[in-house]
Amino acid sequence: DSGVTQTPKHLITATGQRVTLRCSPRSGDLSVYWYQQSLDQGLQFLIQYYNGEERAKGNILERFSAQQFPDLHSELNLSSLELGDSALYFCASSSSRGTGELFFGEGSRLTVL
Amino acid sequence: KNQVEQSPQSLIILEGKNCTLQCNYTVSPFSNLRWYKQDTGRGPVSLTIMTFSENTKSNGRYTATLDADTKQSSLHITASQLSDSASYICVVSGDSWGKLQFGAGTQVVVTP
């Protein structure tokens, strides 16, 4: 158990819909990262937050947004969903600004029908 | 172009045998290099993390090496077990904020 909690574990929805994925980092970790992993693909970095502020952006679509709340949990919002958004979405946390070890959650599997 | 290249893309080995995975990177500046193990459908789990001054680091049957001069790393798996079947991902951390560059991973299948 990495200590990073992601909900929901599985989510099935229709095209055009909007979903929210939630991540609770390890206790005390200030950095939260979001990654997307499509079938048989590598991890694609979406966005990083550090202590509530956006720190880095990767290949995140404009239809996607995220935030980190004062209690350090984070949410990833996916809107106007398309079939191609079906993927595993991982959250990871780190105690440091980014040079330390990453701890990954078990992921949220999104299926868009 | 990906700044972290892994080889081979996949490999199949017999249980009990050894294997070595390669990672070449062009990330600069360099902060550290990590190896992760990812079981299918699960979150990646850290195996090792090395800074530029570390040449070798072990975690059980996993031994990682780093040559910061040639920007190459390897992960050696000794006496492979069926549970070693997974994707092994090389990740390089760049600037002080730890911008991470991920390799595509090497898929390892251990057969009885």
Side-chain angles (χ1 to χ4, degrees), chain B residues 38-59:
Chain B
Q38 184 179 23
D39 293 321
T40 301
R42 306 293 300 276
V45 175
S46 178
L47 294 176
T48 64
I49 179 170
M50 292 185 293
T51 63
F52 75 95
S53 61
E54 296 175 292
N55 300 120
T56 303
K57 184 167 275 192
S58 293
N59 179 356

PDB file of all heavy atoms in Angstrom, chain B residues 38-59:
ATOM      1  N   GLN B  38       5.874  -1.937 -12.816  1.00  0.00           N
ATOM      2  CA  GLN B  38       4.434  -1.771 -12.913  1.00  0.00           C
ATOM      3  C   GLN B  38       3.788  -3.080 -13.336  1.00  0.00           C
ATOM      4  O   GLN B  38       3.955  -3.531 -14.471  1.00  0.00           O
ATOM      5  CB  GLN B  38       4.049  -0.665 -13.896  1.00  0.00           C
ATOM      6  CG  GLN B  38       2.543  -0.415 -13.922  1.00  0.00           C
ATOM      7  CD  GLN B  38       2.113   0.683 -14.862  1.00  0.00           C
ATOM      8  OE1 GLN B  38       2.808   1.023 -15.817  1.00  0.00           O
ATOM      9  NE2 GLN B  38       0.952   1.262 -14.595  1.00  0.00           N
ATOM     10  N   ASP B  39       3.049  -3.683 -12.407  1.00  0.00           N
ATOM     11  CA  ASP B  39       2.242  -4.843 -12.753  1.00  0.00           C
ATOM     12  C   ASP B  39       1.051  -4.372 -13.584  1.00  0.00           C
ATOM     13  O   ASP B  39       0.590  -3.236 -13.445  1.00  0.00           O
ATOM     14  CB  ASP B  39       1.765  -5.560 -11.490  1.00  0.00           C
ATOM     15  CG  ASP B  39       2.900  -6.184 -10.715  1.00  0.00           C
ATOM     16  OD1 ASP B  39       3.822  -6.736 -11.356  1.00  0.00           O
ATOM     17  OD2 ASP B  39       2.885  -6.119  -9.476  1.00  0.00           O
ATOM     18  N   THR B  40       0.549  -5.265 -14.427  1.00  0.00           N
ATOM     19  CA  THR B  40      -0.545  -4.899 -15.324  1.00  0.00           C
ATOM     20  C   THR B  40      -1.735  -4.356 -14.540  1.00  0.00           C
ATOM     21  O   THR B  40      -2.216  -5.003 -13.615  1.00  0.00           O
ATOM     22  CB  THR B  40      -0.965  -6.114 -16.157  1.00  0.00           C
ATOM     23  OG1 THR B  40       0.155  -6.578 -16.910  1.00  0.00           O
ATOM     24  CG2 THR B  40      -2.083  -5.734 -17.112  1.00  0.00           C
ATOM     25  N   GLY B  41      -2.171  -3.163 -14.915  1.00  0.00           N
ATOM     26  CA  GLY B  41      -3.344  -2.571 -14.290  1.00  0.00           C
ATOM     27  C   GLY B  41      -3.124  -2.022 -12.902  1.00  0.00           C
ATOM     28  O   GLY B  41      -4.083  -1.601 -12.246  1.00  0.00           O
ATOM     29  N   ARG B  42      -1.887  -1.999 -12.451  1.00  0.00           N
ATOM     30  CA  ARG B  42      -1.579  -1.491 -11.114  1.00  0.00           C
ATOM     31  C   ARG B  42      -0.717  -0.238 -11.212  1.00  0.00           C
ATOM     32  O   ARG B  42      -0.161   0.103 -12.253  1.00  0.00           O
ATOM     33  CB  ARG B  42      -0.826  -2.562 -10.295  1.00  0.00           C
ATOM     34  CG  ARG B  42      -1.505  -3.900 -10.200  1.00  0.00           C
ATOM     35  CD  ARG B  42      -2.787  -3.853  -9.393  1.00  0.00           C
ATOM     36  NE  ARG B  42      -2.580  -3.420  -8.022  1.00  0.00           N
ATOM     37  CZ  ARG B  42      -2.209  -4.236  -7.037  1.00  0.00           C
ATOM     38  NH1 ARG B  42      -2.014  -5.513  -7.269  1.00  0.00           N
ATOM     39  NH2 ARG B  42      -2.069  -3.758  -5.820  1.00  0.00           N
ATOM     40  N   GLY B  43      -0.575   0.447 -10.096  1.00  0.00           N
ATOM     41  CA  GLY B  43       0.285   1.616 -10.074  1.00  0.00           C
ATOM     42  C   GLY B  43       1.753   1.223 -10.018  1.00  0.00           C
ATOM     43  O   GLY B  43       2.109   0.199  -9.438  1.00  0.00           O
ATOM     44  N   PRO B  44       2.629   2.024 -10.620  1.00  0.00           N
ATOM     45  CA  PRO B  44       4.070   1.727 -10.563  1.00  0.00           C
ATOM     46  C   PRO B  44       4.583   1.764  -9.124  1.00  0.00           C
ATOM     47  O   PRO B  44       4.115   2.545  -8.305  1.00  0.00           O
ATOM     48  CB  PRO B  44       4.695   2.853 -11.386  1.00  0.00           C
ATOM     49  CG  PRO B  44       3.592   3.353 -12.264  1.00  0.00           C
ATOM     50  CD  PRO B  44       2.351   3.200 -11.449  1.00  0.00           C
ATOM     51  N   VAL B  45       5.566   0.910  -8.881  1.00  0.00           N
ATOM     52  CA  VAL B  45       6.193   0.839  -7.559  1.00  0.00           C
ATOM     53  C   VAL B  45       7.685   1.076  -7.723  1.00  0.00           C
ATOM     54  O   VAL B  45       8.315   0.496  -8.605  1.00  0.00           O
ATOM     55  CB  VAL B  45       5.944  -0.533  -6.904  1.00  0.00           C
ATOM     56  CG1 VAL B  45       6.703  -0.639  -5.590  1.00  0.00           C
ATOM     57  CG2 VAL B  45       4.454  -0.751  -6.679  1.00  0.00           C
ATOM     58  N   SER B  46       8.232   1.924  -6.877  1.00  0.00           N
ATOM     59  CA  SER B  46       9.643   2.283  -6.993  1.00  0.00           C
ATOM     60  C   SER B  46      10.546   1.110  -6.634  1.00  0.00           C
ATOM     61  O   SER B  46      10.324   0.415  -5.640  1.00  0.00           O
ATOM     62  CB  SER B  46       9.944   3.467  -6.073  1.00  0.00           C
ATOM     63  OG  SER B  46      11.314   3.792  -6.128  1.00  0.00           O
ATOM     64  N   LEU B  47      11.567   0.892  -7.462  1.00  0.00           N
ATOM     65  CA  LEU B  47      12.583  -0.124  -7.173  1.00  0.00           C
ATOM     66  C   LEU B  47      13.853   0.534  -6.640  1.00  0.00           C
ATOM     67  O   LEU B  47      14.394   0.134  -5.619  1.00  0.00           O
ATOM     68  CB  LEU B  47      12.902  -0.931  -8.433  1.00  0.00           C
ATOM     69  CG  LEU B  47      11.781  -1.802  -8.997  1.00  0.00           C
ATOM     70  CD1 LEU B  47      12.232  -2.461 -10.285  1.00  0.00           C
ATOM     71  CD2 LEU B  47      11.345  -2.847  -7.979  1.00  0.00           C
ATOM     72  N   THR B  48      14.351   1.517  -7.385  1.00  0.00           N
ATOM     73  CA  THR B  48      15.561   2.221  -6.964  1.00  0.00           C
ATOM     74  C   THR B  48      15.486   3.670  -7.409  1.00  0.00           C
ATOM     75  O   THR B  48      14.777   4.012  -8.348  1.00  0.00           O
ATOM     76  CB  THR B  48      16.841   1.615  -7.583  1.00  0.00           C
ATOM     77  OG1 THR B  48      16.794   1.782  -9.002  1.00  0.00           O
ATOM     78  CG2 THR B  48      17.010   0.151  -7.242  1.00  0.00           C
ATOM     79  N   ILE B  49      16.248   4.498  -6.735  1.00  0.00           N
ATOM     80  CA  ILE B  49      16.416   5.889  -7.137  1.00  0.00           C
ATOM     81  C   ILE B  49      17.877   6.238  -6.917  1.00  0.00           C
ATOM     82  O   ILE B  49      18.424   5.988  -5.843  1.00  0.00           O
ATOM     83  CB  ILE B  49      15.468   6.833  -6.372  1.00  0.00           C
ATOM     84  CG1 ILE B  49      15.686   8.280  -6.790  1.00  0.00           C
ATOM     85  CG2 ILE B  49      15.600   6.665  -4.867  1.00  0.00           C
ATOM     86  CD1 ILE B  49      14.614   9.223  -6.249  1.00  0.00           C
ATOM     87  N   MET B  50      18.540   6.754  -7.950  1.00  0.00           N
ATOM     88  CA  MET B  50      19.970   7.028  -7.867  1.00  0.00           C
ATOM     89  C   MET B  50      20.282   8.445  -8.304  1.00  0.00           C
ATOM     90  O   MET B  50      19.749   8.935  -9.299  1.00  0.00           O
ATOM     91  CB  MET B  50      20.740   6.046  -8.762  1.00  0.00           C
ATOM     92  CG  MET B  50      20.702   4.606  -8.295  1.00  0.00           C
ATOM     93  SD  MET B  50      21.742   3.543  -9.312  1.00  0.00           S
ATOM     94  CE  MET B  50      20.864   3.615 -10.853  1.00  0.00           C
ATOM     95  N   THR B  51      21.186   9.089  -7.576  1.00  0.00           N
ATOM     96  CA  THR B  51      21.697  10.385  -7.993  1.00  0.00           C
ATOM     97  C   THR B  51      22.944  10.163  -8.847  1.00  0.00           C
ATOM     98  O   THR B  51      23.426   9.035  -8.963  1.00  0.00           O
ATOM     99  CB  THR B  51      22.038  11.259  -6.784  1.00  0.00           C
ATOM    100  OG1 THR B  51      23.090  10.610  -6.047  1.00  0.00           O
ATOM    101  CG2 THR B  51      20.822  11.434  -5.889  1.00  0.00           C
ATOM    102  N   PHE B  52      23.503  11.250  -9.378  1.00  0.00           N
ATOM    103  CA  PHE B  52      24.624  11.127 -10.311  1.00  0.00           C
ATOM    104  C   PHE B  52      25.862  10.520  -9.656  1.00  0.00           C
ATOM    105  O   PHE B  52      26.720   9.961 -10.317  1.00  0.00           O
ATOM    106  CB  PHE B  52      24.959  12.479 -10.919  1.00  0.00           C
ATOM    107  CG  PHE B  52      25.677  13.404  -9.980  1.00  0.00           C
ATOM    108  CD1 PHE B  52      27.073  13.489  -9.990  1.00  0.00           C
ATOM    109  CD2 PHE B  52      24.973  14.192  -9.084  1.00  0.00           C
ATOM    110  CE1 PHE B  52      27.723  14.351  -9.125  1.00  0.00           C
ATOM    111  CE2 PHE B  52      25.616  15.046  -8.223  1.00  0.00           C
ATOM    112  CZ  PHE B  52      27.013  15.123  -8.232  1.00  0.00           C
ATOM    113  N   SER B  53      25.954  10.619  -8.330  1.00  0.00           N
ATOM    114  CA  SER B  53      27.154  10.134  -7.646  1.00  0.00           C
ATOM    115  C   SER B  53      27.074   8.647  -7.294  1.00  0.00           C
ATOM    116  O   SER B  53      28.051   8.064  -6.820  1.00  0.00           O
ATOM    117  CB  SER B  53      27.392  10.936  -6.366  1.00  0.00           C
ATOM    118  OG  SER B  53      26.306  10.787  -5.485  1.00  0.00           O
ATOM    119  N   GLU B  54      25.914   8.050  -7.541  1.00  0.00           N
ATOM    120  CA  GLU B  54      25.748   6.643  -7.212  1.00  0.00           C
ATOM    121  C   GLU B  54      25.887   5.791  -8.467  1.00  0.00           C
ATOM    122  O   GLU B  54      25.244   6.056  -9.474  1.00  0.00           O
ATOM    123  CB  GLU B  54      24.377   6.405  -6.571  1.00  0.00           C
ATOM    124  CG  GLU B  54      24.210   7.117  -5.245  1.00  0.00           C
ATOM    125  CD  GLU B  54      22.803   6.957  -4.690  1.00  0.00           C
ATOM    126  OE1 GLU B  54      21.860   7.526  -5.292  1.00  0.00           O
ATOM    127  OE2 GLU B  54      22.652   6.276  -3.669  1.00  0.00           O
ATOM    128  N   ASN B  55      26.723   4.765  -8.388  1.00  0.00           N
ATOM    129  CA  ASN B  55      26.947   3.902  -9.542  1.00  0.00           C
ATOM    130  C   ASN B  55      26.065   2.665  -9.522  1.00  0.00           C
ATOM    131  O   ASN B  55      25.683   2.154 -10.572  1.00  0.00           O
ATOM    132  CB  ASN B  55      28.417   3.468  -9.600  1.00  0.00           C
ATOM    133  CG  ASN B  55      29.343   4.644  -9.721  1.00  0.00           C
ATOM    134  OD1 ASN B  55      30.200   4.867  -8.874  1.00  0.00           O
ATOM    135  ND2 ASN B  55      29.183   5.412 -10.768  1.00  0.00           N
ATOM    136  N   THR B  56      25.802   2.170  -8.332  1.00  0.00           N
ATOM    137  CA  THR B  56      25.051   0.929  -8.187  1.00  0.00           C
ATOM    138  C   THR B  56      24.136   1.016  -6.975  1.00  0.00           C
ATOM    139  O   THR B  56      24.511   1.573  -5.944  1.00  0.00           O
ATOM    140  CB  THR B  56      25.997  -0.277  -8.001  1.00  0.00           C
ATOM    141  OG1 THR B  56      26.893  -0.349  -9.104  1.00  0.00           O
ATOM    142  CG2 THR B  56      25.224  -1.568  -7.913  1.00  0.00           C
ATOM    143  N   LYS B  57      22.943   0.459  -7.150  1.00  0.00           N
ATOM    144  CA  LYS B  57      22.029   0.382  -6.014  1.00  0.00           C
ATOM    145  C   LYS B  57      21.204  -0.886  -6.169  1.00  0.00           C
ATOM    146  O   LYS B  57      20.715  -1.175  -7.264  1.00  0.00           O
ATOM    147  CB  LYS B  57      21.140   1.608  -5.951  1.00  0.00           C
ATOM    148  CG  LYS B  57      20.236   1.636  -4.729  1.00  0.00           C
ATOM    149  CD  LYS B  57      19.604   2.984  -4.517  1.00  0.00           C
ATOM    150  CE  LYS B  57      20.498   3.914  -3.761  1.00  0.00           C
ATOM    151  NZ  LYS B  57      19.802   5.127  -3.302  1.00  0.00           N
ATOM    152  N   SER B  58      21.055  -1.607  -5.084  1.00  0.00           N
ATOM    153  CA  SER B  58      20.335  -2.879  -5.131  1.00  0.00           C
ATOM    154  C   SER B  58      19.073  -2.831  -4.288  1.00  0.00           C
ATOM    155  O   SER B  58      19.000  -2.113  -3.286  1.00  0.00           O
ATOM    156  CB  SER B  58      21.221  -4.028  -4.637  1.00  0.00           C
ATOM    157  OG  SER B  58      22.288  -4.242  -5.530  1.00  0.00           O
ATOM    158  N   ASN B  59      18.110  -3.611  -4.700  1.00  0.00           N
ATOM    159  CA  ASN B  59      16.867  -3.785  -3.960  1.00  0.00           C
ATOM    160  C   ASN B  59      16.485  -5.254  -4.142  1.00  0.00           C
ATOM    161  O   ASN B  59      15.823  -5.626  -5.092  1.00  0.00           O
ATOM    162  CB  ASN B  59      15.788  -2.856  -4.514  1.00  0.00           C
ATOM    163  CG  ASN B  59      14.463  -3.020  -3.804  1.00  0.00           C
ATOM    164  OD1 ASN B  59      14.309  -3.872  -2.933  1.00  0.00           O
ATOM    165  ND2 ASN B  59      13.494  -2.201  -4.150  1.00  0.00           N
TER     166      ASN B  59
END
